[in-house]
Amino acid sequence: MMDKQLDALLHQLTAVEKVQQQTHKYVQDLPDDTIDASNDDFISLNNRHFFKNKDIYVSKHNRYAKYPLHTHQFLELNYMYSGHGVEYIDGKRVELNAGDVVLLNIGSSHSLEALGDDDILINILFRNKDIHLDLLDKLYDSDSILFNFLMNTTTKDQTEPLFIYFHKHGDSDVIHIIDTILSEYYFSRNFSNQIISSYLPILLITLVRDYQSEIMNKSKQRLNDPVMLTVLKDIEKGYATVSLQSVAKELNYNRYYLSNLIKKKTGQTFTELLNQQKLLQAQLLITSTKLPISQIIRQVGFSNKNYFYNKYQQKYGHLPTETRNRNV
């Protein structure tokens, strides 16, 4: 029953599609503060609109008009729910049929040809913080192409943008997983956001297992960096108590050398990475529990309440109480 409801919802004309169906001209439907730069040929998007109160953003691509060339600072997964589509990614023409998936890196530029009545393309946007480091570790052990792709987005050490094309071959659980994500997103219930976040690593692993993957634009330099993987895993698992000193001791590195190495590899300091993880955990507790904010601050490892509020507002654009009220 839910599948029929989802199918009907996705084929239903949106307000933008009604205009585009008549004019066949692209209609800009994003808030102005989401666009960093724009001209007739190119659009640069930021994260503001897409991740205000969600870890993952899902949308249906509007049909009947060509979508202009654009780039963004988040990872994007394009899923051809039905029909057929054509997009140009970093100058490469990619045809998508029902069941096909494309994973685009941060900084990739792409445009899409106009879609027809039954051409339903789904966009799933996420930031690389949503990729669990245990997943990367498993993929690293298997020398996966996906590991190198995802690690490149994490460390910013890539030499050129990447995208991976997954062509559907026979039956796959990928379609069921994405349909589940879509149902949770469009027919939201309690904990839907947490369920969607949990399905993301399952989706990525299943893509590797079930689909024949092709690198359409390889990086000139493979990145297999166990040191950075250790640093990121220690931050992820021990965010409340971990320190640069403890990680340096574990790796048998000089603390100042490790600090400089982290900055060079990631573009961020150890403290900045640690604060990102603490804030992520704080937001998760704020949206999924009724714990007092003061208790959450202590639980995630912040010792200064004012510092926490300042950093939280910088990251999410509002205070923790507003996050909780929005979630309710």
Side-chain angles (χ1 to χ4, degrees):
M1 183 65 180
M2 189 70 77
D3 289 343
K4 291 182 179 179
Q5 287 180 307
L6 177 63
D7 191 69
L9 178 66
L10 293 177
H11 280 85
Q12 184 177 327
L13 288 176
T14 65
V16 170
E17 285 178 329
K18 289 178 181 179
V19 176
Q20 293 188 166
Q21 188 181 42
Q22 295 297 319
T23 65
H24 298 289
K25 293 182 179 180
Y26 163 70
V27 175
Q28 172 59 264
D29 62 339
L30 295 173
D32 290 340
D33 66 352
T34 304
I35 302 172
D36 286 336
S38 176
N39 57 46
D40 291 339
D41 301 315
F42 188 79
I43 299 173
S44 178
L45 304 175
N46 58 50
N47 295 346
R48 292 189 190 98
H49 169 66
F50 305 104
F51 305 110
K52 282 184 177 178
N53 198 33
K54 291 182 181 292
D55 295 329
I56 298 170
Y57 180 90
V58 179
S59 67
K60 183 187 76 170
H61 183 77
N62 288 316
R63 294 167 286 179
Y64 308 115
K66 181 178 179 179
Y67 198 97
L69 188 68
H70 60 286
T71 187
H72 38 69
Q73 296 305 306
F74 44 79
L75 290 152
E76 177 175 347
L77 186 148
N78 293 158
Y79 167 61
M80 204 72 214
Y81 175 87
S82 66
H84 173 82
V86 174
E87 59 180 310
Y88 293 86
I89 310 173
D90 296 328
K92 178 77 175 183
R93 187 177 190 273
V94 179
E95 290 194 28
L96 295 173
N97 294 303
D100 289 349
V101 173
V102 170
L103 184 60
L104 298 104
N105 204 341
I106 294 170
S108 289
S109 59
H110 64 127
S111 61
L112 295 98
E113 294 295 325
L115 300 174
D117 292 334
D118 194 45
D119 303 329
I120 306 298
L121 179 68
I122 301 297
N123 305 315
I124 301 178
L125 316 180
F126 56 99
R127 294 169 286 187
N128 55 331
K129 73 177 181 61
D130 298 303
I131 302 166
H132 200 278
L133 269 294
D134 281 343
L135 165 66
L136 294 185
D137 203 13
K138 290 183 177 68
L139 295 176
Y140 171 65
D141 287 342
S142 65
D143 197 29
S144 164
I145 57 170
L146 188 57
F147 167 82
N148 291 282
F149 180 91
L150 296 176
M151 276 299 287
N152 280 339
T153 71
T154 301
T155 63
K156 302 179 182 178
D157 201 23
Q158 66 195 65
T159 55
E160 57 184 276
L162 289 172
F163 63 95
I164 304 179
Y165 171 62
F166 297 92
H167 178 60
K168 183 178 182 298
H169 288 278
D171 294 331
S172 171
D173 291 332
V174 166
I175 293 174
H176 171 71
I177 293 169
I178 295 180
D179 285 351
T180 300
I181 290 174
L182 296 179
S183 294
E184 290 290 341
Y185 194 89
Y186 285 110
F187 306 104
S188 182
R189 292 165 285 173
N190 290 339
F191 305 109
S192 282
N193 193 32
Q194 286 74 28
I195 290 172
I196 292 169
S197 297
S198 298
Y199 264 104
L200 180 60
I202 297 172
L203 172 60
L204 293 173
I205 291 174
T206 306
L207 279 169
V208 172
R209 184 188 68 181
D210 290 358
Y211 279 25
Q212 177 184 342
S213 55
E214 303 171 27
I215 294 287
M216 306 296 283
N217 187 9
K218 289 187 177 180
S219 172
K220 294 176 181 176
Q221 177 182 356
R222 285 171 58 87
L223 176 65
N224 292 318
D225 198 327
V227 172
M228 287 301 107
L229 186 60
T230 297
V231 171
L232 294 170
K233 284 185 67 176
D234 283 359
I235 288 174
E236 183 179 67
K237 292 183 177 180
Y239 56 87
T241 58
V242 73
S243 66
L244 178 62
Q245 182 67 40
S246 66
V247 179
K249 184 177 180 180
E250 176 188 357
L251 291 167
N252 199 26
Y253 275 37
N254 176 277
R255 179 163 62 97
Y256 300 104
Y257 174 80
L258 181 60
S259 176
N260 291 332
L261 185 63
I262 292 170
K263 178 68 174 179
K264 179 182 177 181
K265 290 284 187 177
T266 69
Q268 299 179 78
T269 66
F270 178 86
T271 300
E272 287 170 339
L273 292 171
L274 182 59
N275 280 343
Q276 284 182 25
Q277 185 64 25
K278 288 180 178 180
L279 291 170
L280 172 63
Q281 294 300 318
Q283 190 201 39
L284 178 62
L285 291 171
I286 290 166
T287 57
S288 62
T289 75
K290 295 182 179 180
L291 291 173
I293 304 297
S294 58
Q295 183 178 337
I296 291 173
I297 293 172
R298 293 192 302 271
Q299 189 166 320
V300 300
F302 283 103
S303 56
N304 186 308
K305 183 173 69 172
N306 291 332
Y307 180 76
F308 166 78
Y309 277 109
N310 182 45
K311 292 297 180 183
Y312 192 95
Q313 189 161 27
Q314 283 181 13
K315 182 173 180 62
Y316 296 110
H318 52 261
L319 294 172
T321 49
E322 189 176 349
T323 295
R324 178 162 280 174
N325 290 338
R326 287 183 179 185
N327 193 62
V328 172

